[in-house]
Amino acid sequence: KFGVAVVNGTAALHLALAALGIGNRDEVIIPDLTFVASANAVSYTGAKPVFVDIDKETWCIDVNKIKEKITNKTKAIMPVHLYGHPCDMDPIIELAEEKSLSVIEDAAEAHGAEYKGKKVGSIGHIGCFSFYGNKIITTGEGGMCTTNDDKLAEHMQFLKDHGMSKDK
């Protein structure tokens, strides 16, 4: 329902993490095969990226290996829909709900891809897109966070605008 435009895909990931309150001493689970921006955005918040092996068929995060990496410091799972291949989102969402974790979809390389009839970037709490020159949809640069949560959308807009009032 909501989109918040940012300068690039890395900024989208960073904004999503910040809006979810992820910071020092937290952990975020990411696949071990992804562009470095996924890990960098986690590091920018002071959190630690925790790498999980990929599925050898899809090259996306291996959902069967996520649970063993979850600790009491884990705050989010960041599946990356790599090369247009959607991650197996149902078990990721189920695990996240069971463990009270947020899900940030890195959909930078999967614009328009669908998982069981749902567009990637609309399944987790926040979806993040990149519009860099090598992406499926490009503006030369740019990015976007998407969410169906009106409070998260408002908070991301607030953070993106340096806390300035939208009424001024």
Side-chain angles (χ1 to χ4, degrees):
K1 292 177 11 182
F2 304 99
V4 179
V6 293
V7 297
N8 59 42
T10 307
L13 294 169
H14 187 198
L15 180 61
L17 292 158
L20 291 166
I22 294 168
N24 288 332
R25 293 187 271 294
D26 292 336
E27 295 178 351
V28 178
I29 292 176
I30 66 172
D32 61 2
L33 178 63
T34 183
F35 184 63
V36 70
S38 305
N40 283 347
V42 173
S43 297
Y44 295 161
T45 68
K48 176 185 172 186
V50 175
F51 298 97
V52 172
D53 285 338
I54 58 162
D55 177 87
K56 66 180 181 177
E57 298 297 318
T58 66
W59 293 13
C60 292
I61 195 165
D62 186 333
V63 297
N64 298 310
K65 295 182 180 178
I66 295 173
K67 194 170 192 173
E68 64 193 47
K69 297 286 188 158
I70 294 174
T71 71
N72 62 348
K73 294 180 181 182
T74 305
K75 300 297 184 229
I77 303 169
M78 185 188 292
V80 178
H81 305 293
L82 197 62
Y83 305 126
H85 296 287
C87 296
D88 189 4
M89 291 302 294
D90 285 346
I92 292 171
I93 297 296
E94 287 172 23
L95 181 59
E97 288 174 356
E98 174 189 323
K99 301 288 187 179
S100 299
L101 303 174
S102 297
V103 176
I104 302 164
E105 293 178 78
D106 183 337
E109 296 184 356
H111 303 171
E114 292 184 356
Y115 173 79
K116 296 186 178 179
K118 295 179 184 174
K119 299 283 187 197
V120 298
S122 70
I123 302 165
H125 295 93
I126 300 174
C128 297
F129 293 88
S130 171
F131 305 126
Y132 188 67
N134 67 344
K135 300 303 188 272
I136 296 166
I137 298 173
T138 182
T139 58
E141 189 60 274
M144 182 170 286
C145 292
T146 58
T147 186
N148 288 321
D149 184 316
D150 57 342
K151 287 186 168 89
L152 269 177
E154 187 175 324
H155 190 54
M156 285 189 288
Q157 191 66 45
F158 176 78
L159 291 174
K160 177 188 112 163
D161 290 338
H162 305 279
M164 294 174 31
S165 169
K166 64 181 178 181
D167 300 325
K168 292 186 179 182

